């Protein structure tokens, strides 16, 4: 049994210097219609997330859950816009605060509409940002093209400058200006894309790798192909927005819009490991876990998968933590 922390022994996490993480929970479910996803932040914490991160030697600070005011605004075919606007604005401010504190930002949703706030905050603070949107869905609809009016299917279209003209004026969203180029977004794991979204992907030449591409090339090569596209000079701050429905429902069944034929947990973990190894991964969203969908076993399986994904994004390696040079001759008693 370890008697000293990884930090005390090594001062390192994986192959990167001892890191700081800030966690913000977003118990938000107004971006879609299925209740329960708002319970995910506290449920994932209760499953031991913070302790698992501390075991990696990380300095973890929990900033609590986002609280927000609701504005009385409406736009056709955008459900609960007042809630979305209020929540995502506060989240943007929290992510900026975490990054200014010298910490990497971990945002736990909540539905995927919260990506509007987390990415906005990252871009405002770091400016030069590339996004990995790991998801079964493209989330590229506008209020004019969405069949449901659910904002969790719209965040990429809201965030990107090339699509700004596709929107009407959105009251309550004046704080959010689309500053992110669609050229800086890479999709991984797509398999449920509607006709309009496919048209947008093709028109703008968006970097988009569906499951058939993962099957053809393998997840390792897909991640590096995507990096070469959206971060060719290896100088951007990276943001992963990870929807748990990118995983196959056999791996993560407790989610609201499950689609068969997704990533294995092993592929999801490897993607996170490779992006962590760039040393530029500064923000991670984990969204769409719904503890009210499925039986107890399904919920446990999904939460476990979520924690594995998060751990891999913050330095956990399946090979074990690397022992730094200079301590390889330390006696075994040092570690016990």
């Amino acid at each position: 049994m370890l008697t000293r922390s990884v930090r005390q022994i090594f001062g390192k996490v994986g192959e990167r210097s001892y890191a700081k993480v800030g966690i913000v929970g977003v118990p938000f479910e107004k971006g879609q219609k299925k209740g329960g996803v708002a319970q995910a932040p506290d449920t994932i914490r209760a499953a031991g997330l913070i302790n698992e991160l501390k075991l990696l030697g990380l300095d973890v600070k929990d900033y609590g859950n986002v609280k927000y005011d609701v504005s009385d605004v409406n736009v056709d075919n955008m459900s609960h816009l007042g809630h979305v606007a209020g929540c995502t604005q506060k989240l943007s401010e929290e992510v900026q605060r975490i990054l200014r504190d010298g910490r990497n930002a971990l945002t736990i949703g909540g539905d995927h509409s919260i990506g509007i706030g987390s990415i906005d905050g990252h871009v405002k603070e770091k400016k030069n940002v590339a996004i990995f949107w790991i998801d079964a869905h493209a989330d590229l609809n506008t209020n004019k093209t969405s069949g449901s009016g659910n904002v969790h299917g719209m965040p990429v279209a809201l965030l990107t400058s090339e699509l700004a003209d596709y929107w009407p004026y959105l009251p309550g969203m004046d704080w959010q200006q689309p500053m992110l180029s669609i050229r800086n977004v890479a999709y991984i794991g797509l398999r449920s894309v509607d006709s309009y979204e496919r048209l947008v992907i093709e028109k703008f030449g968006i970097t988009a790798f569906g499951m058939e591409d993962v099957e053809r090339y393998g997840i390792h090569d897909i991640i590096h192909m995507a990096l070469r596209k959206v971060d060719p000079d290896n100088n951007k701050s990276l943001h992963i927005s990870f929807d748990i429905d990118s995983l196959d429902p056999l791996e993560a069944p407790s989610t609201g819009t499950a689609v068969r034929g997704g990533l294995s947990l092993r592929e999801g973990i490897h993607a996170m490991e490779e992006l962590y190894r760039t040393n530029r991964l500064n923000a991670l969203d984990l969204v769409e876990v719904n503890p009210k969908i499925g039986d107890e076993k399904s919920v446990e399986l999904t939460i476990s998968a979520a924690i594995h994904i998060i751990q891999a994004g913050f330095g956990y390696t399946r090979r074990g933590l690397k022992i730094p040079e200079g301590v390889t001759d330390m006696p075994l008693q040092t570690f016990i």
Side-chain angles (χ1 to χ4, degrees), residues 9 134 242 305:
I9 297 172
I134 304 180
F242 195 103

Side-chain angles (χ1 to χ4, degrees), residues 124-178:
K124 283 176 176 171
E125 187 63 27
K126 296 289 188 179
K127 313 302 181 189
N128 191 24
V129 177
I131 311 298
F132 278 73
W133 197 269
I134 304 180
D135 199 330
H137 310 89
D139 298 341
L140 266 172
N141 276 291
T142 69
N143 67 314
K144 297 175 183 177
T145 64
S146 171
S148 66
N150 292 336
V151 182
H152 78 159
M154 306 179 188
V156 180
L158 278 163
L159 285 161
T160 49
S161 55
E162 290 87 346
L163 299 176
D165 291 340
Y166 289 67
W167 291 94
Y169 172 67
L170 301 178
M173 293 292 291
D174 297 293
W175 59 273
Q176 190 266 327
Q177 300 298 321

Side-chain angles (χ1 to χ4, degrees), residues 240-252:
I240 300 176
S241 204
F242 195 103
D243 190 321
I244 203 70
D245 74 23
S246 63
L247 301 181
D248 191 90
L250 294 174
E251 304 270 21

Side-chain angles (χ1 to χ4, degrees), residues 112-132:
H112 215 162
S113 66
I114 71 167
I116 300 164
S118 63
I119 292 173
D120 180 86
H122 192 171
V123 173
K124 283 176 176 171
E125 187 63 27
K126 296 289 188 179
K127 313 302 181 189
N128 191 24
V129 177
I131 311 298
F132 278 73

Side-chain angles (χ1 to χ4, degrees), residues 1 59 78 124 131-132 135 158 163 169 176 178 189 206 213 224-225 238 248 261 279 301 328:
M1 181 177 181
D59 176 342
M78 287 188 78
K124 283 176 176 171
I131 311 298
F132 278 73
D135 199 330
L158 278 163
L163 299 176
Y169 172 67
Q176 190 266 327
I206 300 171
D213 300 306
H224 289 277
M225 290 162 67
L238 301 185
D248 191 90
N279 289 330
L301 190 67
T328 53

Side-chain angles (χ1 to χ4, degrees), residues 170-187:
L170 301 178
M173 293 292 291
D174 297 293
W175 59 273
Q176 190 266 327
Q177 300 298 321
M179 302 179 292
L180 180 72
S181 172
I182 198 70
R183 294 188 299 272
N184 291 359
V185 177
Y187 286 106

